[in-house]
Each structure stands twice: as structure tokens, then as C-alpha cells.
Amino acid sequence: MNLLNFINSFNNLAKYFGLFLCLLIPSLGAQTPHTIYFLEDFRPYVYLDENQQPAGLMSELVIKALEDSGLDYQLVPNNVSRLFMEIKKGGNVSTFGVYKTAEREQWSIVTPEIYRAPQPVLVIKKTKLDQIPSSLTLQSFEALLEQQHLTGVIIKNYSYGNLFDPLFEAKRTQVQRYQLSIEQAFKMITSPHRADFTLAYPAQARYLVEQNEHFKHNLAIVPFVDIPANDRGAFWMFSKDSDPKFIEKIENAMNKVRHSAFYETTVRKYVE
């Protein structure tokens, strides 16, 4: 082979290699694992265990759906404010265990439902129990806030549902928002002159109070007697530009999990 033929052969090879790379690079991009953010500390529903792995009721349900779907993913811990920022930024990302609101659906795709959770309960200082009625209603609770008899602490950027969110928005003086976990909110309530109450899921409140002698001694769990017990859905939230096929596979897999024996067993494990 003379030098000219060698150069021509090399040029042809380079063209074919370049074409191969052009075809390959988009394929590699499509194989990027889907990033799923989860709350670091929202026990017993979602949290980071001692091995730095996702744990909790909703984590187990989500991982089961992911395994059944055969999708490529990575789970990354985050706090409630940061994970919403990541969803808003867009990309191949999602999170789970969130409440569906009209505002959130403006910048995300909220589906499918993972777990049907009960309404929140009031967690209050025992020394303040004499200030609330024996049968607590939403109306009597609102009246207490109107009279400024109680001060509350809630998690910033977290939704407590359409019964409580508007009330807390209207009573910002009495109900302060902080970037903290539920456990940190409980600690704030037990600290002198910080706050009197917060809201939490029933299983969440029981779990934290039973695991902590200080909480058990100082905090009371009070349900609302006039609100539906089981109408708060916890959903999966995707960025607006997520792959529709990926979402469809998750919806199908999650639907199967929610109607399985695994779902019932997992709920009993954490809630009952």
C-alpha cells in the first residue's frame, strides 16, 4: 500500500468512526440513570438509614415499583426545599411522597399516587392542653390562632393539605416556617418559649414520641374530630420535561404495587 492509499484509508476510517460517535453519544445520553430525590428525615415514611440508604414505608413501595419496572435510576437524599428546587430546574429527575397542589402542578407532573395517608394530627405541649377543647375541630383550632393563644412551627415548603395550608398562610404571625425536620420541630416545641404546636402524620407523631422519652414526657398527640381520616394522597413528582414513557412505566408499576399483598404488608409494618 502506497502512502496515498494509506492516507485515504485512514481518512475513510476517521469518517466512519466520527459517524459511529455521533450515533453513540445520544444513545449514551438516553441511558443516564433517572435521579430520584428523597427526604433525608421524614420517619417512618421516608428517611436515610444507618447505611445511608433510603428506608421507610414509601421508600419501600417506591423501590418495589422501580425494581418491577426494570428502569435505570439512582436515589439521592435531599431536604424538602432543595429537592423541589431540583424538580423546578428540570431534567431527568423526580421525587416522591409529596402532596398534590395546584401550585406544584404548574412546574411539575404529579403522578402516580403512592400512599393514601391520614390527615395530620396536632402535636402540642402538654402544658398547653388546657387551652384546647377536649374535641378539637378545625374551627376551634382556627379560633385559637385568631385569639393568639398558641404559636406554631411548621416545615418550610412542606404542604399540610388544603385544609391547613390556607389557614397557616393567613396566620403567619402565629405559625412560623423553618427549614427543619419533623423531629427538629418536636424539639422546638419542647424548648421553652419557642413554639407550642406543630402538625404531623399520626404514625409519624406516634413513632417519634414513642422513641424519645423527652417527647413522651412533654408532648401530646391530639386528632381533629371533624376532618376526613384518610384523604391525603402522597404522590410521585416529576420535572416537566421528564420522559413520558418513563412516567408511564412508573405509573403502571406503582399501580400494581398499590394493589398487591406487598403494599398491605408494608403499610402494616410501619403504621400498625
Side-chain angles (χ1 to χ4, degrees), residues 122 132-141 144 222-226:
L122 183 72
I132 65 173
S134 56
S135 294
L136 183 66
T137 66
L138 190 62
Q139 185 176 9
S140 62
F141 178 61
L144 289 170
V222 183
F224 292 85
V225 299
D226 65 335

Side-chain angles (χ1 to χ4, degrees), residues 218-244:
N218 289 283
L219 299 177
I221 301 170
V222 183
F224 292 85
V225 299
D226 65 335
I227 59 178
N230 196 38
D231 71 343
R232 272 180 57 87
F235 291 83
W236 207 312
M237 175 189 282
F238 297 85
S239 66
K240 276 285 191 181
D241 53 359
S242 293
D243 183 356

Side-chain angles (χ1 to χ4, degrees), residues 46-58:
V46 187
Y47 60 94
L48 198 63
D49 68 12
E50 61 275 8
N51 298 315
Q52 303 301 296
Q53 297 300 314
L57 191 163
M58 285 191 281

Side-chain angles (χ1 to χ4, degrees), residues 111-176:
T111 182
E113 186 173 300
I114 299 166
Y115 173 64
R116 173 93 9 197
Q119 287 280 6
V121 293
L122 183 72
V123 181
I124 188 170
K125 275 189 174 88
K126 285 185 177 180
T127 56
K128 296 288 184 176
L129 277 173
D130 61 345
Q131 297 191 25
I132 65 173
S134 56
S135 294
L136 183 66
T137 66
L138 190 62
Q139 185 176 9
S140 62
F141 178 61
E142 184 173 1
L144 289 170
L145 295 181
E146 288 279 359
Q147 299 159 16
Q148 301 186 14
H149 284 179
L150 298 174
T151 58
V153 56
I154 58 175
I155 300 173
K156 187 178 181 181
N157 295 318
Y158 177 74
S159 172
Y160 292 86
N162 56 15
L163 292 177
F164 293 99
D165 286 351
L167 175 60
F168 293 157
E169 184 65 27
K171 308 298 177 188
R172 281 182 169 267
T173 303
Q174 289 79 35
V175 184
Q176 300 294 315

Side-chain angles (χ1 to χ4, degrees), residues 60-219:
E60 289 199 23
L61 298 177
V62 161
I63 291 171
K64 172 65 173 170
L66 287 164
E67 290 176 347
D68 290 350
S69 69
L71 294 167
D72 193 13
Y73 67 93
Q74 58 180 347
L75 287 157
V76 179
N78 223 321
N79 62 55
V80 66
S81 291
R82 187 66 194 175
L83 63 83
F84 285 147
M85 288 174 60
E86 295 295 340
I87 302 301
K88 287 180 179 180
K89 280 165 51 178
N92 198 23
V93 297
S94 65
T95 187
F96 62 88
V98 302
Y99 184 68
K100 184 185 291 189
T101 68
E103 187 272 331
R104 289 176 178 178
E105 288 188 289
Q106 292 179 8
W107 44 263
S108 68
I109 300 169
V110 186
T111 182
E113 186 173 300
I114 299 166
Y115 173 64
R116 173 93 9 197
Q119 287 280 6
V121 293
L122 183 72
V123 181
I124 188 170
K125 275 189 174 88
K126 285 185 177 180
T127 56
K128 296 288 184 176
L129 277 173
D130 61 345
Q131 297 191 25
I132 65 173
S134 56
S135 294
L136 183 66
T137 66
L138 190 62
Q139 185 176 9
S140 62
F141 178 61
E142 184 173 1
L144 289 170
L145 295 181
E146 288 279 359
Q147 299 159 16
Q148 301 186 14
H149 284 179
L150 298 174
T151 58
V153 56
I154 58 175
I155 300 173
K156 187 178 181 181
N157 295 318
Y158 177 74
S159 172
Y160 292 86
N162 56 15
L163 292 177
F164 293 99
D165 286 351
L167 175 60
F168 293 157
E169 184 65 27
K171 308 298 177 188
R172 281 182 169 267
T173 303
Q174 289 79 35
V175 184
Q176 300 294 315
R177 289 167 168 78
Y178 293 94
Q179 186 58 63
L180 38 62
S181 67
I182 289 289
E183 185 173 7
Q184 289 169 331
F186 282 21
K187 289 179 180 177
M188 187 176 289
I189 299 169
T190 59
S191 300
H193 315 299
R194 296 297 299 277
D196 301 318
F197 75 86
T198 190
L199 295 187
Y201 284 124
Q204 191 174 48
R206 290 195 302 270
Y207 176 87
L208 288 172
V209 169
E210 289 170 4
Q211 296 292 320
N212 188 305
E213 287 298 323
H214 182 64
F215 292 163
K216 191 181 296 185
H217 180 73
N218 289 283
L219 299 177

